[in-house]
């Protein structure tokens, strides 16, 4: 089999394509079509770290809630102040009650969303597996 060099493939390492939501007069929301792996890993870490309840168990509602917000933060050009981020429940409710969350998630490729679903689930399973192992118990 003949080998082909990577350079000859002519592919770009990061896709910068965006789709636009015309939200209001003169408000155009950009929705990224691909997030580089390093950024995905940061988003995944944020989701996992913010999704435990008071007893240290992962709460599925918090996972969904945090995943939604972190994806909106990462995939759109919407900027938030620190003050706005202090009340994430209000942000979540406003995105869903306005219909904007659905519009954003319709434009993000399903392969990108599935990546977060898959790796969030696997990561949490591995954390529980470790916690229930002899090493986790000794920690």
């Amino acid at each position: 089999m003949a080998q082909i060099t990577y350079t000859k493939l002519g592919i770009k390492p990061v896709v910068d394509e965006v789709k636009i939501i015309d939200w209001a007069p003169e408000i155009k929301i950009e929705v990224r079509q691909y997030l580089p792996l390093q950024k995905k890993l940061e988003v995944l870490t944020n989701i996992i770290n913010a999704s435990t309840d008071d007893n240290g168990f992962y709460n599925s509602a918090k996972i969904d809630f945090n995943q939604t917000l972190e994806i909106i933060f990462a995939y759109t050009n919407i900027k938030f102040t620190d003050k706005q981020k202090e009340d994430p429940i209000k942000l979540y409710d406003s995105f869903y009650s306005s219909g904007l969350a659905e519009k954003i998630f319709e434009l993000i490729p399903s392969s990108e969303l599935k990546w977060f679903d898959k790796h969030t689930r696997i990561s949490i399973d591995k954390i529980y597996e470790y916690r229930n192992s002899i090493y986790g118990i000794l920690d």
Side-chain angles (χ1 to χ4, degrees):
M1 168 172 37
Q3 292 190 352
I4 301 170
T5 63
Y6 175 76
T7 308
K8 282 188 177 184
L9 296 175
I11 57 177
K12 295 180 181 179
V14 177
V15 178
D16 291 331
E17 182 184 351
V18 297
K19 291 191 177 179
I20 305 293
I21 297 171
D22 289 319
W23 182 245
E26 300 182 29
I27 297 178
K28 297 195 181 303
I29 299 170
E30 295 178 3
V31 181
R32 289 176 185 85
Q33 297 302 290
Y34 179 81
L35 201 61
L37 182 58
Q38 184 61 43
K39 185 65 178 167
K40 281 182 181 143
L41 294 173
E42 292 171 19
V43 170
L44 180 63
T45 299
N46 293 344
I47 293 166
I48 291 170
N49 288 341
S51 297
T52 58
D53 61 19
D54 294 338
N55 296 321
F57 291 103
Y58 288 93
N59 179 316
S60 63
K62 281 188 172 184
I63 293 167
D64 178 62
F65 159 79
N66 287 307
Q67 186 168 314
T68 297
L69 286 180
E70 289 295 332
I71 287 172
I72 289 171
F73 296 159
Y75 279 82
T76 69
N77 63 333
I78 302 169
K79 300 299 174 217
F80 301 88
T81 65
D82 291 337
K83 180 85 171 147
Q84 290 166 328
K85 285 186 173 183
E86 287 176 8
D87 193 354
I89 291 173
K90 182 178 178 181
L91 283 178
Y92 180 89
D93 288 340
S94 68
F95 273 102
Y96 271 99
S97 65
S98 68
L100 184 53
E102 287 89 0
K103 289 181 183 288
I104 291 169
F105 279 82
E106 285 173 2
L107 293 184
I108 298 172
S110 64
S111 60
E112 292 287 292
L113 299 174
K114 286 177 185 175
W115 189 95
F116 286 102
D117 289 338
K118 174 184 175 183
H119 291 287
T120 300
R121 182 181 40 80
I122 289 171
S123 297
I124 290 171
D125 287 347
K126 293 295 180 186
I127 291 168
Y128 279 133
E129 186 179 303
Y130 173 76
R131 284 184 185 169
N132 292 326
S133 74
I134 188 69
Y135 300 111
I137 293 169
L138 290 175
D139 276 349

PDB file of all heavy atoms in Angstrom, residues 79-109:
ATOM      1  N   LYS A  79     -21.296  36.933  24.880  1.00  0.00           N
ATOM      2  CA  LYS A  79     -20.396  37.208  25.999  1.00  0.00           C
ATOM      3  C   LYS A  79     -21.215  37.459  27.257  1.00  0.00           C
ATOM      4  O   LYS A  79     -22.266  38.086  27.215  1.00  0.00           O
ATOM      5  CB  LYS A  79     -19.507  38.427  25.709  1.00  0.00           C
ATOM      6  CG  LYS A  79     -18.646  38.255  24.486  1.00  0.00           C
ATOM      7  CD  LYS A  79     -17.691  37.087  24.638  1.00  0.00           C
ATOM      8  CE  LYS A  79     -16.941  36.825  23.355  1.00  0.00           C
ATOM      9  NZ  LYS A  79     -16.718  35.431  23.092  1.00  0.00           N
ATOM     10  N   PHE A  80     -20.711  36.979  28.366  1.00  0.00           N
ATOM     11  CA  PHE A  80     -21.392  37.092  29.649  1.00  0.00           C
ATOM     12  C   PHE A  80     -20.474  37.781  30.642  1.00  0.00           C
ATOM     13  O   PHE A  80     -19.271  37.540  30.648  1.00  0.00           O
ATOM     14  CB  PHE A  80     -21.755  35.703  30.191  1.00  0.00           C
ATOM     15  CG  PHE A  80     -22.643  34.912  29.279  1.00  0.00           C
ATOM     16  CD1 PHE A  80     -22.103  34.102  28.285  1.00  0.00           C
ATOM     17  CD2 PHE A  80     -24.013  34.975  29.404  1.00  0.00           C
ATOM     18  CE1 PHE A  80     -22.914  33.376  27.440  1.00  0.00           C
ATOM     19  CE2 PHE A  80     -24.835  34.252  28.554  1.00  0.00           C
ATOM     20  CZ  PHE A  80     -24.280  33.451  27.574  1.00  0.00           C
ATOM     21  N   THR A  81     -21.061  38.593  31.501  1.00  0.00           N
ATOM     22  CA  THR A  81     -20.284  39.205  32.575  1.00  0.00           C
ATOM     23  C   THR A  81     -20.160  38.196  33.707  1.00  0.00           C
ATOM     24  O   THR A  81     -20.931  37.224  33.784  1.00  0.00           O
ATOM     25  CB  THR A  81     -20.970  40.478  33.105  1.00  0.00           C
ATOM     26  OG1 THR A  81     -22.218  40.107  33.717  1.00  0.00           O
ATOM     27  CG2 THR A  81     -21.202  41.492  31.989  1.00  0.00           C
ATOM     28  N   ASP A  82     -19.213  38.426  34.589  1.00  0.00           N
ATOM     29  CA  ASP A  82     -19.071  37.566  35.761  1.00  0.00           C
ATOM     30  C   ASP A  82     -20.344  37.623  36.607  1.00  0.00           C
ATOM     31  O   ASP A  82     -20.767  36.620  37.176  1.00  0.00           O
ATOM     32  CB  ASP A  82     -17.860  37.974  36.600  1.00  0.00           C
ATOM     33  CG  ASP A  82     -16.545  37.671  35.904  1.00  0.00           C
ATOM     34  OD1 ASP A  82     -16.531  36.784  35.011  1.00  0.00           O
ATOM     35  OD2 ASP A  82     -15.536  38.314  36.231  1.00  0.00           O
ATOM     36  N   LYS A  83     -20.943  38.781  36.682  1.00  0.00           N
ATOM     37  CA  LYS A  83     -22.182  38.960  37.448  1.00  0.00           C
ATOM     38  C   LYS A  83     -23.300  38.087  36.873  1.00  0.00           C
ATOM     39  O   LYS A  83     -24.042  37.440  37.614  1.00  0.00           O
ATOM     40  CB  LYS A  83     -22.589  40.444  37.422  1.00  0.00           C
ATOM     41  CG  LYS A  83     -23.846  40.767  38.166  1.00  0.00           C
ATOM     42  CD  LYS A  83     -23.562  40.987  39.620  1.00  0.00           C
ATOM     43  CE  LYS A  83     -24.803  41.526  40.290  1.00  0.00           C
ATOM     44  NZ  LYS A  83     -24.914  41.074  41.646  1.00  0.00           N
ATOM     45  N   GLN A  84     -23.427  38.052  35.537  1.00  0.00           N
ATOM     46  CA  GLN A  84     -24.454  37.217  34.910  1.00  0.00           C
ATOM     47  C   GLN A  84     -24.198  35.736  35.170  1.00  0.00           C
ATOM     48  O   GLN A  84     -25.128  34.973  35.395  1.00  0.00           O
ATOM     49  CB  GLN A  84     -24.501  37.489  33.402  1.00  0.00           C
ATOM     50  CG  GLN A  84     -25.046  38.849  33.060  1.00  0.00           C
ATOM     51  CD  GLN A  84     -24.783  39.236  31.619  1.00  0.00           C
ATOM     52  OE1 GLN A  84     -23.774  38.862  31.029  1.00  0.00           O
ATOM     53  NE2 GLN A  84     -25.704  40.017  31.055  1.00  0.00           N
ATOM     54  N   LYS A  85     -22.933  35.346  35.152  1.00  0.00           N
ATOM     55  CA  LYS A  85     -22.589  33.935  35.381  1.00  0.00           C
ATOM     56  C   LYS A  85     -22.790  33.513  36.838  1.00  0.00           C
ATOM     57  O   LYS A  85     -22.805  32.324  37.129  1.00  0.00           O
ATOM     58  CB  LYS A  85     -21.153  33.658  34.947  1.00  0.00           C
ATOM     59  CG  LYS A  85     -21.001  33.592  33.444  1.00  0.00           C
ATOM     60  CD  LYS A  85     -19.590  33.170  33.070  1.00  0.00           C
ATOM     61  CE  LYS A  85     -19.455  32.939  31.588  1.00  0.00           C
ATOM     62  NZ  LYS A  85     -18.117  32.458  31.225  1.00  0.00           N
ATOM     63  N   GLU A  86     -22.954  34.473  37.734  1.00  0.00           N
ATOM     64  CA  GLU A  86     -23.206  34.148  39.138  1.00  0.00           C
ATOM     65  C   GLU A  86     -24.572  33.506  39.341  1.00  0.00           C
ATOM     66  O   GLU A  86     -24.809  32.862  40.349  1.00  0.00           O
ATOM     67  CB  GLU A  86     -23.096  35.407  40.015  1.00  0.00           C
ATOM     68  CG  GLU A  86     -21.685  35.881  40.219  1.00  0.00           C
ATOM     69  CD  GLU A  86     -21.617  37.175  41.016  1.00  0.00           C
ATOM     70  OE1 GLU A  86     -22.664  37.637  41.546  1.00  0.00           O
ATOM     71  OE2 GLU A  86     -20.506  37.726  41.113  1.00  0.00           O
ATOM     72  N   ASP A  87     -25.487  33.704  38.396  1.00  0.00           N
ATOM     73  CA  ASP A  87     -26.822  33.121  38.489  1.00  0.00           C
ATOM     74  C   ASP A  87     -27.081  32.245  37.256  1.00  0.00           C
ATOM     75  O   ASP A  87     -27.854  32.608  36.365  1.00  0.00           O
ATOM     76  CB  ASP A  87     -27.882  34.224  38.591  1.00  0.00           C
ATOM     77  CG  ASP A  87     -29.249  33.693  39.000  1.00  0.00           C
ATOM     78  OD1 ASP A  87     -29.414  32.448  39.105  1.00  0.00           O
ATOM     79  OD2 ASP A  87     -30.156  34.520  39.214  1.00  0.00           O
ATOM     80  N   PRO A  88     -26.435  31.068  37.219  1.00  0.00           N
ATOM     81  CA  PRO A  88     -26.567  30.222  36.027  1.00  0.00           C
ATOM     82  C   PRO A  88     -27.981  29.694  35.807  1.00  0.00           C
ATOM     83  O   PRO A  88     -28.382  29.476  34.668  1.00  0.00           O
ATOM     84  CB  PRO A  88     -25.576  29.084  36.279  1.00  0.00           C
ATOM     85  CG  PRO A  88     -25.348  29.077  37.739  1.00  0.00           C
ATOM     86  CD  PRO A  88     -25.555  30.483  38.211  1.00  0.00           C
ATOM     87  N   ILE A  89     -28.742  29.532  36.864  1.00  0.00           N
ATOM     88  CA  ILE A  89     -30.118  29.048  36.703  1.00  0.00           C
ATOM     89  C   ILE A  89     -30.946  30.084  35.937  1.00  0.00           C
ATOM     90  O   ILE A  89     -31.731  29.736  35.054  1.00  0.00           O
ATOM     91  CB  ILE A  89     -30.745  28.708  38.065  1.00  0.00           C
ATOM     92  CG1 ILE A  89     -30.044  27.471  38.648  1.00  0.00           C
ATOM     93  CG2 ILE A  89     -32.248  28.490  37.947  1.00  0.00           C
ATOM     94  CD1 ILE A  89     -30.445  27.114  40.057  1.00  0.00           C
ATOM     95  N   LYS A  90     -30.741  31.340  36.251  1.00  0.00           N
ATOM     96  CA  LYS A  90     -31.444  32.414  35.533  1.00  0.00           C
ATOM     97  C   LYS A  90     -31.039  32.410  34.051  1.00  0.00           C
ATOM     98  O   LYS A  90     -31.891  32.558  33.174  1.00  0.00           O
ATOM     99  CB  LYS A  90     -31.130  33.759  36.177  1.00  0.00           C
ATOM    100  CG  LYS A  90     -31.847  34.927  35.539  1.00  0.00           C
ATOM    101  CD  LYS A  90     -31.518  36.222  36.279  1.00  0.00           C
ATOM    102  CE  LYS A  90     -32.189  37.406  35.619  1.00  0.00           C
ATOM    103  NZ  LYS A  90     -31.847  38.663  36.311  1.00  0.00           N
ATOM    104  N   LEU A  91     -29.748  32.219  33.781  1.00  0.00           N
ATOM    105  CA  LEU A  91     -29.281  32.145  32.393  1.00  0.00           C
ATOM    106  C   LEU A  91     -29.942  30.975  31.662  1.00  0.00           C
ATOM    107  O   LEU A  91     -30.450  31.125  30.550  1.00  0.00           O
ATOM    108  CB  LEU A  91     -27.761  31.976  32.335  1.00  0.00           C
ATOM    109  CG  LEU A  91     -26.902  33.195  32.598  1.00  0.00           C
ATOM    110  CD1 LEU A  91     -25.425  32.817  32.557  1.00  0.00           C
ATOM    111  CD2 LEU A  91     -27.198  34.288  31.598  1.00  0.00           C
ATOM    112  N   TYR A  92     -29.911  29.815  32.292  1.00  0.00           N
ATOM    113  CA  TYR A  92     -30.500  28.603  31.692  1.00  0.00           C
ATOM    114  C   TYR A  92     -31.979  28.829  31.379  1.00  0.00           C
ATOM    115  O   TYR A  92     -32.435  28.560  30.270  1.00  0.00           O
ATOM    116  CB  TYR A  92     -30.323  27.428  32.652  1.00  0.00           C
ATOM    117  CG  TYR A  92     -30.882  26.123  32.151  1.00  0.00           C
ATOM    118  CD1 TYR A  92     -30.106  25.258  31.396  1.00  0.00           C
ATOM    119  CD2 TYR A  92     -32.189  25.738  32.456  1.00  0.00           C
ATOM    120  CE1 TYR A  92     -30.611  24.041  30.943  1.00  0.00           C
ATOM    121  CE2 TYR A  92     -32.703  24.532  32.004  1.00  0.00           C
ATOM    122  CZ  TYR A  92     -31.906  23.684  31.254  1.00  0.00           C
ATOM    123  OH  TYR A  92     -32.419  22.494  30.810  1.00  0.00           O
ATOM    124  N   ASP A  93     -32.710  29.324  32.370  1.00  0.00           N
ATOM    125  CA  ASP A  93     -34.142  29.572  32.183  1.00  0.00           C
ATOM    126  C   ASP A  93     -34.398  30.579  31.065  1.00  0.00           C
ATOM    127  O   ASP A  93     -35.326  30.409  30.273  1.00  0.00           O
ATOM    128  CB  ASP A  93     -34.788  30.063  33.483  1.00  0.00           C
ATOM    129  CG  ASP A  93     -34.924  28.965  34.522  1.00  0.00           C
ATOM    130  OD1 ASP A  93     -34.881  27.770  34.152  1.00  0.00           O
ATOM    131  OD2 ASP A  93     -35.076  29.312  35.714  1.00  0.00           O
ATOM    132  N   SER A  94     -33.590  31.624  30.989  1.00  0.00           N
ATOM    133  CA  SER A  94     -33.808  32.632  29.953  1.00  0.00           C
ATOM    134  C   SER A  94     -33.521  32.074  28.563  1.00  0.00           C
ATOM    135  O   SER A  94     -34.245  32.383  27.606  1.00  0.00           O
ATOM    136  CB  SER A  94     -32.976  33.889  30.225  1.00  0.00           C
ATOM    137  OG  SER A  94     -31.605  33.625  30.078  1.00  0.00           O
ATOM    138  N   PHE A  95     -32.512  31.226  28.425  1.00  0.00           N
ATOM    139  CA  PHE A  95     -32.214  30.624  27.122  1.00  0.00           C
ATOM    140  C   PHE A  95     -33.344  29.707  26.666  1.00  0.00           C
ATOM    141  O   PHE A  95     -33.698  29.698  25.490  1.00  0.00           O
ATOM    142  CB  PHE A  95     -30.885  29.859  27.155  1.00  0.00           C
ATOM    143  CG  PHE A  95     -29.707  30.725  26.859  1.00  0.00           C
ATOM    144  CD1 PHE A  95     -28.887  31.176  27.875  1.00  0.00           C
ATOM    145  CD2 PHE A  95     -29.418  31.106  25.556  1.00  0.00           C
ATOM    146  CE1 PHE A  95     -27.801  31.982  27.605  1.00  0.00           C
ATOM    147  CE2 PHE A  95     -28.332  31.923  25.277  1.00  0.00           C
ATOM    148  CZ  PHE A  95     -27.518  32.361  26.302  1.00  0.00           C
ATOM    149  N   TYR A  96     -33.900  28.923  27.583  1.00  0.00           N
ATOM    150  CA  TYR A  96     -34.966  28.000  27.182  1.00  0.00           C
ATOM    151  C   TYR A  96     -36.314  28.693  27.024  1.00  0.00           C
ATOM    152  O   TYR A  96     -37.057  28.398  26.090  1.00  0.00           O
ATOM    153  CB  TYR A  96     -35.052  26.799  28.127  1.00  0.00           C
ATOM    154  CG  TYR A  96     -34.138  25.706  27.639  1.00  0.00           C
ATOM    155  CD1 TYR A  96     -32.893  25.529  28.197  1.00  0.00           C
ATOM    156  CD2 TYR A  96     -34.503  24.888  26.575  1.00  0.00           C
ATOM    157  CE1 TYR A  96     -32.031  24.552  27.715  1.00  0.00           C
ATOM    158  CE2 TYR A  96     -33.654  23.918  26.084  1.00  0.00           C
ATOM    159  CZ  TYR A  96     -32.420  23.750  26.665  1.00  0.00           C
ATOM    160  OH  TYR A  96     -31.567  22.795  26.179  1.00  0.00           O
ATOM    161  N   SER A  97     -36.633  29.609  27.915  1.00  0.00           N
ATOM    162  CA  SER A  97     -37.940  30.266  27.809  1.00  0.00           C
ATOM    163  C   SER A  97     -38.027  31.161  26.573  1.00  0.00           C
ATOM    164  O   SER A  97     -39.108  31.361  26.027  1.00  0.00           O
ATOM    165  CB  SER A  97     -38.248  31.067  29.077  1.00  0.00           C
ATOM    166  OG  SER A  97     -37.327  32.130  29.227  1.00  0.00           O
ATOM    167  N   SER A  98     -36.901  31.662  26.114  1.00  0.00           N
ATOM    168  CA  SER A  98     -36.897  32.516  24.920  1.00  0.00           C
ATOM    169  C   SER A  98     -36.852  31.711  23.626  1.00  0.00           C
ATOM    170  O   SER A  98     -37.087  32.256  22.548  1.00  0.00           O
ATOM    171  CB  SER A  98     -35.680  33.445  24.962  1.00  0.00           C
ATOM    172  OG  SER A  98     -34.486  32.689  24.805  1.00  0.00           O
ATOM    173  N   GLY A  99     -36.522  30.428  23.719  1.00  0.00           N
ATOM    174  CA  GLY A  99     -36.389  29.599  22.522  1.00  0.00           C
ATOM    175  C   GLY A  99     -35.003  29.657  21.902  1.00  0.00           C
ATOM    176  O   GLY A  99     -34.721  28.962  20.920  1.00  0.00           O
ATOM    177  N   LEU A 100     -34.122  30.461  22.472  1.00  0.00           N
ATOM    178  CA  LEU A 100     -32.786  30.607  21.903  1.00  0.00           C
ATOM    179  C   LEU A 100     -31.952  29.339  22.057  1.00  0.00           C
ATOM    180  O   LEU A 100     -31.185  28.988  21.155  1.00  0.00           O
ATOM    181  CB  LEU A 100     -32.062  31.809  22.518  1.00  0.00           C
ATOM    182  CG  LEU A 100     -30.690  32.144  21.944  1.00  0.00           C
ATOM    183  CD1 LEU A 100     -30.736  32.309  20.422  1.00  0.00           C
ATOM    184  CD2 LEU A 100     -30.138  33.406  22.603  1.00  0.00           C
ATOM    185  N   ALA A 101     -32.088  28.630  23.158  1.00  0.00           N
ATOM    186  CA  ALA A 101     -31.309  27.395  23.357  1.00  0.00           C
ATOM    187  C   ALA A 101     -31.579  26.404  22.235  1.00  0.00           C
ATOM    188  O   ALA A 101     -30.647  25.831  21.668  1.00  0.00           O
ATOM    189  CB  ALA A 101     -31.627  26.767  24.716  1.00  0.00           C
ATOM    190  N   GLU A 102     -32.859  26.217  21.890  1.00  0.00           N
ATOM    191  CA  GLU A 102     -33.196  25.278  20.814  1.00  0.00           C
ATOM    192  C   GLU A 102     -32.585  25.703  19.492  1.00  0.00           C
ATOM    193  O   GLU A 102     -32.071  24.876  18.741  1.00  0.00           O
ATOM    194  CB  GLU A 102     -34.725  25.137  20.660  1.00  0.00           C
ATOM    195  CG  GLU A 102     -35.381  24.348  21.756  1.00  0.00           C
ATOM    196  CD  GLU A 102     -35.798  25.216  22.944  1.00  0.00           C
ATOM    197  OE1 GLU A 102     -35.565  26.453  22.918  1.00  0.00           O
ATOM    198  OE2 GLU A 102     -36.336  24.655  23.897  1.00  0.00           O
ATOM    199  N   LYS A 103     -32.618  27.001  19.196  1.00  0.00           N
ATOM    200  CA  LYS A 103     -32.046  27.498  17.947  1.00  0.00           C
ATOM    201  C   LYS A 103     -30.534  27.249  17.897  1.00  0.00           C
ATOM    202  O   LYS A 103     -29.996  26.866  16.862  1.00  0.00           O
ATOM    203  CB  LYS A 103     -32.338  28.984  17.770  1.00  0.00           C
ATOM    204  CG  LYS A 103     -33.801  29.287  17.474  1.00  0.00           C
ATOM    205  CD  LYS A 103     -34.013  30.773  17.276  1.00  0.00           C
ATOM    206  CE  LYS A 103     -35.446  31.107  17.044  1.00  0.00           C
ATOM    207  NZ  LYS A 103     -35.978  30.717  15.764  1.00  0.00           N
ATOM    208  N   ILE A 104     -29.870  27.473  19.021  1.00  0.00           N
ATOM    209  CA  ILE A 104     -28.422  27.240  19.084  1.00  0.00           C
ATOM    210  C   ILE A 104     -28.115  25.760  18.883  1.00  0.00           C
ATOM    211  O   ILE A 104     -27.267  25.387  18.062  1.00  0.00           O
ATOM    212  CB  ILE A 104     -27.843  27.748  20.425  1.00  0.00           C
ATOM    213  CG1 ILE A 104     -27.900  29.281  20.471  1.00  0.00           C
ATOM    214  CG2 ILE A 104     -26.406  27.243  20.626  1.00  0.00           C
ATOM    215  CD1 ILE A 104     -27.607  29.884  21.831  1.00  0.00           C
ATOM    216  N   PHE A 105     -28.817  24.902  19.609  1.00  0.00           N
ATOM    217  CA  PHE A 105     -28.527  23.470  19.543  1.00  0.00           C
ATOM    218  C   PHE A 105     -28.918  22.848  18.200  1.00  0.00           C
ATOM    219  O   PHE A 105     -28.337  21.841  17.804  1.00  0.00           O
ATOM    220  CB  PHE A 105     -29.173  22.738  20.720  1.00  0.00           C
ATOM    221  CG  PHE A 105     -28.354  22.862  21.973  1.00  0.00           C
ATOM    222  CD1 PHE A 105     -28.442  23.991  22.767  1.00  0.00           C
ATOM    223  CD2 PHE A 105     -27.474  21.868  22.346  1.00  0.00           C
ATOM    224  CE1 PHE A 105     -27.669  24.130  23.900  1.00  0.00           C
ATOM    225  CE2 PHE A 105     -26.694  21.989  23.479  1.00  0.00           C
ATOM    226  CZ  PHE A 105     -26.783  23.124  24.265  1.00  0.00           C
ATOM    227  N   GLU A 106     -29.853  23.459  17.490  1.00  0.00           N
ATOM    228  CA  GLU A 106     -30.189  22.991  16.140  1.00  0.00           C
ATOM    229  C   GLU A 106     -29.035  23.219  15.171  1.00  0.00           C
ATOM    230  O   GLU A 106     -28.863  22.455  14.225  1.00  0.00           O
ATOM    231  CB  GLU A 106     -31.430  23.713  15.604  1.00  0.00           C
ATOM    232  CG  GLU A 106     -32.722  23.249  16.209  1.00  0.00           C
ATOM    233  CD  GLU A 106     -33.913  24.104  15.765  1.00  0.00           C
ATOM    234  OE1 GLU A 106     -33.740  25.040  14.945  1.00  0.00           O
ATOM    235  OE2 GLU A 106     -35.017  23.842  16.268  1.00  0.00           O
ATOM    236  N   LEU A 107     -28.231  24.261  15.403  1.00  0.00           N
ATOM    237  CA  LEU A 107     -27.143  24.600  14.486  1.00  0.00           C
ATOM    238  C   LEU A 107     -25.818  23.913  14.805  1.00  0.00           C
ATOM    239  O   LEU A 107     -24.935  23.858  13.954  1.00  0.00           O
ATOM    240  CB  LEU A 107     -26.944  26.117  14.445  1.00  0.00           C
ATOM    241  CG  LEU A 107     -28.077  26.927  13.824  1.00  0.00           C
ATOM    242  CD1 LEU A 107     -27.708  28.403  13.766  1.00  0.00           C
ATOM    243  CD2 LEU A 107     -28.428  26.415  12.438  1.00  0.00           C
ATOM    244  N   ILE A 108     -25.667  23.407  16.021  1.00  0.00           N
ATOM    245  CA  ILE A 108     -24.435  22.688  16.363  1.00  0.00           C
ATOM    246  C   ILE A 108     -24.542  21.278  15.807  1.00  0.00           C
ATOM    247  O   ILE A 108     -25.541  20.596  16.037  1.00  0.00           O
ATOM    248  CB  ILE A 108     -24.226  22.653  17.895  1.00  0.00           C
ATOM    249  CG1 ILE A 108     -24.077  24.078  18.447  1.00  0.00           C
ATOM    250  CG2 ILE A 108     -22.989  21.812  18.246  1.00  0.00           C
ATOM    251  CD1 ILE A 108     -24.066  24.167  19.962  1.00  0.00           C
ATOM    252  N   PRO A 109     -23.531  20.828  15.056  1.00  0.00           N
ATOM    253  CA  PRO A 109     -23.595  19.476  14.493  1.00  0.00           C
ATOM    254  C   PRO A 109     -23.813  18.409  15.576  1.00  0.00           C
ATOM    255  O   PRO A 109     -23.243  18.502  16.670  1.00  0.00           O
ATOM    256  CB  PRO A 109     -22.232  19.294  13.814  1.00  0.00           C
ATOM    257  CG  PRO A 109     -21.783  20.689  13.516  1.00  0.00           C
ATOM    258  CD  PRO A 109     -22.321  21.535  14.645  1.00  0.00           C
TER     259      PRO A 109
END
